[in-house]
Amino acid sequence: MISVLRGLGRAGLGFFERLGRGHVFLFYSLLGVPAGLYRIHLLLTQVYMAGVLSLVIIVVSGFFVGMVLGLQGYNTLVDFGAEESLGILVALSLVRELGPVVAALLFAGRAGSALTAEIGLMKTTEQLAAMEMMAVDPLKRVVAPRLLAGVLAMPLLAAIFSAVGVYGGYFVGVGLLGVDEGAFWAQMQSSVDFHDDIMNGVIKSFVFGFTVTWIAVFEGYDTVPTSEGISRATTRTVVNSSLAVLGLDFVLTALMFD
Amino acid sequence: MDTNRGSEEPLVTIRGLSFSRGARKIFDEVDMDIARGKITAIMGPSGCGKTTLLSLIGGQLRPDAGSVRVDGLEVPQLSRRELLQLRKRMGMLFQSGALLTDLSVFENVAFPLREHTGLPVPIIRDLVLMKLEAVGLRGARDLMPSELSGGMARRVALARAIALDPMMIMYDEPFAGQDPISMGVLLRLIHLMNEAMGVTSIVVSHDVKETASIADYVYVLAEGKIVGQGTPEELKKSPSKWVRQFMDALPDGPVHFHYPAPAYMEDLLSGEDR
């Protein structure tokens, strides 16, 4: 019994210690962001790595998610003779929820894991230590541009996901199932509010982008410098950031759409 | 560098240095002086804390007690900014080379220059080519680190370490795992850097013969203490059992062949599963 309590206590202390370290790490990384803005090529490289290279998975997934929404939505709406509202259903589902959330989950799996593995390997091969010895702060040179790139890339990826998803829904609904094209677009246009729906989705994706990238770079930087350590850190990045995205989504939705 | 010559005060002064990792004492009240413009070797068996000592001098680790002064500055008490300023005057050659794997050989050597000098591109190019020429790898400037052999990677890392013309260079096991040719090349380079530029060199190594051939002064570390010191000639004659075991590569002595364990017979007959 005592040993169970002790184990619990140790796990709790370990958790809070890591949480604290993560925040200190974030603080010093954010201090490096303004300097990072001056070195635009570093930032652009990272936007390319995190954003552009994630495009394929985002576009393909977005299209399929949109198609499934179109199919499921049509089958439900047609029972009530409301299939013309398919455009609203597809657009609102994507812009409010699925776009930011699914794009963030994919981003965590594609870009987040890559970030953790890259930084973890840099630590394992002493590249970060070498930078420190060359009087270059790795938090400024390596972490800050990646953090900023993740925060910038994520909303764009979520927007692309939603846009492609709408076309996926259009393709199934209008193209294959015969929903009226004019009604599909017109109803969508009249019901989707720029501020309440689109902007809230954008805010969500900013928050998710920040959270996922923070977890990814911290896990990489905090890796135990062995191959097993990198493997654990990469797994932790995907698991923790996915859980964080889903948890935060609930909180944000409750705040935004009450 | 001229600042290294003509001054009697040691560049690095270590007094009463203690450092532990967990319960294990790595250093216990160690005193050491690294003379300016000389090659000082730090030798000792694997795991005796040689690399840790370099990390303490470079300020990557903080000692539990004692003082580490580099060029008059107390390293553990420096602010982060002061530490970075000091590190611009220190070069370090990591055992693995630690080249930045996403940059070419040229860009690796240019890295500290681009980060710290703000020099125009043509001058940086000339400087990089000069440093690469010094290590014989000017022709390899477009290769990526993955295309280099271990010895070449270390030479590139050396070119990078001297990019900012440091006052001292710390070499962490520069000869480990090298074939005789690259070992010879590295020995010559370390000697040359010291001769030509007057750079203070600290060579951490367990390759006794090679290191002793270029070192001006040698410290032998074991079990957290300095067990021998002097010029290579003095050490060759040293009666200390520690120094003898290390210099003559004896398998058993004060450093035991066996890791501490219960009595052999007792262990075999204990009936435990593992």
Side-chain angles (χ1 to χ4, degrees):
Chain A
M1 183 65 192
I2 291 292
S3 69
V4 172
L5 281 178
R6 190 180 297 150
L8 208 63
R10 195 173 298 139
L13 281 179
F15 172 77
F16 284 111
E17 195 243 331
R18 252 185 131 239
L19 199 65
R21 218 148 15 113
H23 280 85
V24 173
F25 168 85
L26 178 66
F27 175 73
Y28 284 109
S29 304
L30 288 178
L31 286 185
V33 167
L37 285 173
Y38 283 108
R39 307 170 68 178
I40 204 77
H41 69 282
L42 285 180
L43 179 64
L44 291 181
T45 311
Q46 292 312 318
V47 170
Y48 174 79
M49 302 288 275
V52 179
L53 294 183
S54 304
L55 268 181
V56 175
I57 191 173
I58 291 288
V59 167
V60 173
S61 312
F63 197 70
F64 276 107
V65 167
M67 288 204 300
V68 169
L69 275 177
L71 204 55
Q72 292 280 18
Y74 180 84
N75 287 337
T76 312
L77 291 172
V78 80
D79 291 343
F80 305 99
E83 65 269 24
E84 258 101 53
S85 304
L86 186 65
I88 308 174
L89 185 141
V90 170
L92 284 184
S93 315
L94 281 166
V95 172
R96 283 184 176 187
E97 288 298 331
L98 291 173
V101 173
V102 178
L105 294 178
L106 294 171
F107 183 74
R110 222 286 323 167
S113 58
L115 274 178
T116 305
E118 187 192 16
I119 297 180
L121 207 60
M122 288 179 89
K123 182 175 180 185
T124 310
T125 53
E126 294 183 311
Q127 293 180 50
L128 297 182
M131 276 191 197
E132 278 189 13
M133 283 309 294
M134 286 187 277
V136 175
D137 187 351
L139 291 181
K140 283 190 185 149
R141 179 68 172 62
V142 176
V143 173
R146 283 165 174 76
L147 194 61
L148 196 57
V151 175
L152 290 178
M154 187 56 235
L156 295 174
L157 290 173
I160 292 170
F161 186 95
S162 298
V164 174
V166 167
Y167 276 103
Y170 169 82
F171 172 70
V172 170
V174 177
L176 302 181
L177 300 171
V179 175
D180 181 64
E181 185 176 358
F184 182 89
W185 292 118
Q187 292 217 18
M188 189 191 298
Q189 207 174 0
S190 63
S191 300
V192 178
D193 185 77
F194 179 74
H195 179 261
D196 284 346
D197 300 316
I198 295 182
M199 280 321 285
N200 278 342
V202 170
I203 292 171
K204 273 187 182 181
S205 55
F206 259 116
V207 174
F208 297 159
F210 173 75
T211 312
V212 170
T213 321
W214 173 23
I215 292 176
V217 288
F218 175 66
E219 289 292 354
Y221 202 79
D222 205 45
T223 302
V224 178
T226 60
S227 41
E228 197 200 353
I230 295 180
S231 130
R232 279 170 185 269
T234 320
T235 311
R236 267 204 308 268
T237 291
V238 177
V239 172
N240 291 351
S241 50
S242 302
L243 291 176
V245 164
L246 295 171
L248 279 172
D249 183 48
F250 176 75
V251 175
L252 289 172
T253 306
L255 289 175
M256 288 168 174
F257 302 102
D258 57 350
Chain B
M1 276 190 144
D2 288 333
T3 50
N4 281 338
R5 289 193 169 136
S7 168
E8 287 306 308
E9 193 199 330
L11 184 63
V12 181
T13 318
I14 295 172
R15 290 289 174 268
L17 175 71
S18 295
F19 183 78
S20 312
R21 278 190 200 276
R24 193 169 153 242
K25 260 205 153 140
I26 311 275
F27 296 117
D28 186 11
E29 304 264 321
V30 167
D31 296 338
M32 198 180 268
D33 288 324
I34 310 283
R36 283 176 196 265
K38 304 273 189 210
I39 300 180
T40 304
I42 295 163
M43 298 205 255
S46 303
C48 73
K50 302 187 293 290
T51 305
T52 309
L53 183 68
L54 294 188
S55 302
L56 286 161
I57 295 174
Q60 287 179 301
L61 295 172
R62 277 170 194 274
D64 299 338
S67 126
V68 180
R69 291 181 82 81
V70 177
D71 201 25
L73 299 168
E74 184 65 40
V75 176
Q77 286 168 13
L78 294 181
S79 68
R80 191 167 170 75
R81 181 177 297 216
E82 291 167 327
L83 192 59
L84 292 180
Q85 286 302 324
L86 177 65
R87 282 183 186 159
K88 287 184 194 168
R89 300 191 286 141
M90 292 177 169
M92 171 127 177
L93 187 74
F94 284 84
Q95 192 173 346
S96 59
L99 296 177
L100 306 179
T101 42
D102 55 339
L103 301 180
S104 67
V105 164
F106 182 94
E107 286 301 324
N108 259 289
V109 181
F111 183 82
L113 295 166
R114 291 199 205 286
E115 289 289 327
H116 296 308
T117 62
L119 288 170
V121 174
I123 296 184
I124 289 194
R125 179 177 183 273
D126 289 351
L127 283 172
V128 171
L129 293 186
M130 282 157 69
K131 305 296 174 189
L132 281 173
E133 175 72 12
V135 298
L137 291 176
R138 191 166 43 85
R141 76 186 94 160
D142 295 325
L143 297 181
M144 293 303 285
S146 57
E147 298 170 288
L148 303 175
S149 71
M152 285 164 81
R154 263 175 237 189
R155 280 151 70 189
V156 175
L158 180 56
R160 185 179 67 178
I162 58 169
L164 292 173
D165 293 326
M167 61 180 176
M168 67 184 257
I169 305 180
M170 298 188 274
Y171 301 87
D172 186 8
E173 298 283 2
F175 314 117
Q178 296 298 303
D179 64 65
I181 302 174
S182 358
M183 205 182 254
V185 170
L186 285 165
L187 273 171
R188 199 180 127 241
L189 281 173
I190 295 175
H191 196 55
L192 198 71
M193 297 296 160
N194 178 252
E195 287 275 294
M197 298 162 62
V199 182
T200 306
S201 308
I202 307 177
V203 184
V204 153
S205 177
H206 48 226
D207 293 286
V208 176
K209 211 172 88 224
E210 290 75 17
T211 314
S213 72
I214 52 166
D216 295 306
Y217 201 82
V218 180
Y219 286 97
V220 182
L221 286 177
E223 300 199 338
K225 298 211 178 271
I226 293 172
V227 293
Q229 57 175 295
T231 62
E233 287 68 33
E234 285 167 1
L235 280 185
K236 275 176 200 153
K237 293 175 210 144
S238 165
S240 155
K241 276 194 224 159
W242 293 92
V243 178
R244 284 275 56 79
Q245 185 191 4
F246 191 70
M247 300 294 276
D248 302 338
L250 304 174
D252 214 344
V255 178
H256 295 296
F257 169 70
H258 287 289
Y259 194 81
Y264 191 30
M265 189 60 87
E266 241 173 63
D267 214 358
L268 287 177
L269 299 175
S270 68
E272 285 176 23
D273 289 339
R274 44 174 299 174

